[in-house]
Amino acid sequence: MREAGFVACFGFTYSPRPHTPSLKFEDDVPDDVKSERLVRLRNGGGAAAGVPRLPVGKKVAVLIEGLAKRGPLEWPLGAQ
């Protein structure tokens, strides 16, 4: 997380979801272990690691996998 410079992390402990392939897997990780891993993940990156170094004023290559769900002209962080 720190090395990649993530700004935020949306993480949750695993729970079975209907109609997903993971529903057929056995959940063999105790809840306390899941919670501890999530705490470590959240503490290991983003704001806890400091302000990310953004490539301000530079051209960078990006990968766009599809249109935004809210609208095709919306970009994160107000980028244009």
Side-chain angles (χ1 to χ4, degrees), residues 18-59:
H19 313 293
T20 62
S22 63
L23 189 60
K24 62 185 168 191
F25 297 134
E26 181 180 340
D27 185 8
D28 60 351
V29 178
D31 287 341
D32 60 329
V33 173
K34 292 178 193 180
S35 296
E36 190 271 333
R37 288 176 179 174
L38 183 59
V39 168
R40 284 185 12 223
L41 175 69
R42 289 183 176 165
N43 289 340
V51 178
R53 295 180 301 273
L54 298 174
V56 176
K58 297 181 180 180
K59 292 184 179 185

